Amino acid sequence: MKNNAFPAATHGRHGEAFAVDHPKGGKAWLRPALPADMPLLHQLNVSEISPLVGPERAMRDVQARNPDALWVIERRSEPAAPVEIVGCYGFLPLTDAGLDALHADTLVRRDPPLELIAEAGTRPAAMYVWTAIAHGLARVTQPLVTLALASYADVPFFTVSMTEKGIQAARRRGFVPVDARAGDRNALVMLPARRANDGEAQAGGPEPRHDVIVASNTEHLHMEAYVRGAVFGAEQFSPYREEFDGNDFSASHLLGFVDNEPVAVLRIRYFSSFAKLERLAVLARFRRTKIKYEIVNRAIDICRRKGYTKLYGHAQTRLVPFYAKFGFRPRERETRLVFADHAYVEIEADFDAHENPISLQTDPYVIIRPEGAWDRPGILDLSAARPATNPA
């Protein structure tokens, strides 16, 4: 049975392509694969990945069922030179049954049953990264893939890596590990930014999907105020002017979602030698979920990525055991703190330096990406594909 009607990928019709400057000169293009490309694409995958990648016939069948599955990278080194295929990207648009098979480790990825592949014009349950060959071109072509597959922005993308090196490479591109289950311990997923409301998982139903983002627009700040008002205002009777203390526009705000519902917030402020975590709040009906751990862990990771190894905060005395799970401890000095009629203590934690901190040696295109999203191509990465033409 088909899923709901779903638009084809942006610019996904045959013959349309995206062009960028090749790092070594000339031009590179990303375009949908054509049936005539299959012999060369298969040969490329055999030589670059493994002779066990699967038959050429499987590539033909998947591409015929859904043309958005396979994309070709072409290059012309100079205007008079011939165009050559130098890489490709492949995706399996999975049906609900296909996603279940991926989780159960029963999906034959090298030669997938076509009934598990979503047909063109239908909405897939997930996109599985089938192949990716882009030697030296990933930085300039991945933003094009994101643009080409813009219609799938709310669909999770999965990949599987059998090596630690491969897992780390996937994580640098924005993938996060899937909760370990029977068959997907090496699976990673790039989650869409927003979900459909679900709440806690019902018995026998799907697990709620969590996400943590950095607030980046006015609506996000409305969501943040909504959660803080419900927790600190309605539950803890914090006065309005004590809760909104004048520091909100000098801080980063993290939002935790359980599916599409904003349910948790946390604020980070940055100082010369430490970062301060504060204003953690979780809606009461979601406090039994993992979102409270995920939002704190994400905050710690962002601070470490920005070069901080010392984190500091003020915790209500009853919540000191919760923060201890992340390595926080009360500070040695005993300072009595009372905020909005609640007793607080100072807490601090020391962390190892991040293995890939943002620094002056970092790629400048990474530095200007949205806060907390340094491993995903941003809008200015796409801008880099155009030549400088403004005389000013």
Side-chain angles (χ1 to χ4, degrees):
M1 185 175 69
K2 290 186 177 182
N3 297 319
N4 295 331
F6 193 73
T10 305
H11 297 289
R13 296 182 297 278
H14 298 319
E16 296 191 7
F18 303 97
V20 295
D21 291 325
H22 194 287
K24 295 182 179 180
K27 288 285 186 180
W29 287 267
L30 178 75
R31 65 165 174 82
L34 298 169
D37 298 321
M38 295 305 137
L40 200 153
L41 289 183
H42 184 256
Q43 179 184 345
L44 185 65
N45 279 265
V46 167
S47 61
E48 296 286 342
I49 299 177
S50 166
L52 304 178
V53 293
E56 178 187 326
R57 188 260 316 146
M59 298 182 75
R60 289 183 177 277
D61 290 348
V62 169
Q63 189 271 343
R65 187 169 178 85
N66 194 324
D68 289 340
L70 288 166
W71 295 78
V72 169
I73 304 171
E74 292 180 325
R75 182 196 179 193
R76 175 177 282 146
S77 57
E78 54 187 41
V83 174
E84 58 177 335
I85 292 179
V86 295
C88 66
Y89 289 97
F91 307 92
L92 297 182
L94 298 175
T95 63
D96 289 330
L99 180 57
D100 289 342
L102 177 66
H103 282 318
D105 202 24
T106 59
L107 177 66
V108 183
R109 296 189 288 270
R110 61 189 299 272
D111 191 1
L114 290 182
E115 63 268 19
L116 301 183
I117 305 300
E119 295 182 72
T122 66
R123 179 186 178 83
M127 295 286 276
Y128 173 74
V129 180
W130 201 22
T131 183
I133 301 172
H135 298 303
L137 290 171
R139 189 184 135 197
V140 296
T141 57
Q142 284 181 357
L144 301 185
V145 173
T146 301
L147 188 60
L149 298 179
S151 296
Y152 298 88
D154 63 344
V155 175
F157 279 65
F158 284 82
T159 187
V160 172
S161 177
M162 303 306 293
T163 66
E164 183 61 28
K165 183 178 180 180
I167 290 174
Q168 292 304 318
R171 295 191 73 165
R172 286 194 297 272
R173 287 166 173 77
F175 286 83
V176 296
V178 173
D179 291 339
R181 283 169 283 195
D184 57 12
R185 287 185 176 85
N186 296 311
L188 300 98
V189 59
M190 182 182 288
L191 297 169
R194 302 288 300 277
R195 318 268 180 233
N197 185 28
D198 194 11
E200 292 197 50
Q202 302 297 316
E207 287 292 324
R209 294 167 295 183
H210 296 177
D211 194 17
V212 178
I213 67 170
V214 178
S216 60
N217 58 45
T218 303
E219 184 185 12
H220 290 162
L221 294 181
H222 291 166
M223 295 175 179
E224 189 259 355
Y226 161 77
V227 174
R228 279 168 57 182
V231 174
F232 296 125
E235 289 187 54
Q236 299 187 17
F237 306 110
S238 175
Y240 171 82
R241 296 193 183 280
E242 294 182 16
E243 174 53 37
F244 297 97
D245 57 354
N247 284 316
D248 284 324
F249 287 93
S250 60
S252 295
H253 298 273
L254 271 60
L255 281 166
F257 291 86
V258 175
D259 291 336
N260 201 37
E261 186 69 16
V263 304
V265 296
L266 187 151
R267 192 171 79 179
I268 310 173
R269 289 193 294 139
Y270 305 100
F271 298 84
S272 63
S273 60
F274 67 93
K276 183 174 186 288
L277 307 189
E278 54 194 20
R279 295 300 197 273
L280 171 64
V282 182
L283 294 181
R285 64 186 182 276
F286 293 94
R287 288 178 192 154
R288 293 181 179 271
T289 71
K290 297 178 181 178
I291 195 67
K292 57 184 178 289
Y293 301 107
E294 293 169 351
I295 197 169
V296 175
N297 279 325
R298 180 71 188 281
I300 292 170
D301 186 65
I302 287 175
C303 292
R304 291 180 60 235
R305 189 72 185 274
K306 297 188 78 164
Y308 291 94
T309 58
K310 170 73 76 175
L311 269 63
Y312 170 76
H314 300 153
Q316 291 186 18
T317 53
R318 64 185 178 85
L319 293 177
V320 170
F322 169 77
Y323 285 103
K325 296 177 181 179
F326 305 93
F328 284 89
R329 60 191 181 278
R331 298 198 73 201
E332 291 184 2
R333 70 180 185 185
E334 294 185 6
T335 303
R336 181 176 178 270
L337 300 172
V338 177
F339 304 129
D341 306 315
H342 290 269
Y344 285 78
V345 297
E346 292 179 291
I347 57 174
E348 63 182 350
D350 297 294
F351 296 92
D352 293 334
H354 196 279
E355 61 275 10
N356 185 27
I358 305 296
S359 70
L360 287 176
Q361 283 68 51
T362 301
D363 184 332
Y365 283 100
V366 172
I367 294 174
I368 59 177
R369 287 173 182 171
E371 186 81 355
W374 298 290
D375 296 322
R376 297 188 184 188
I379 189 64
L380 293 179
D381 290 79
L382 294 175
S383 167
R386 303 194 306 269
T389 58
N390 190 333

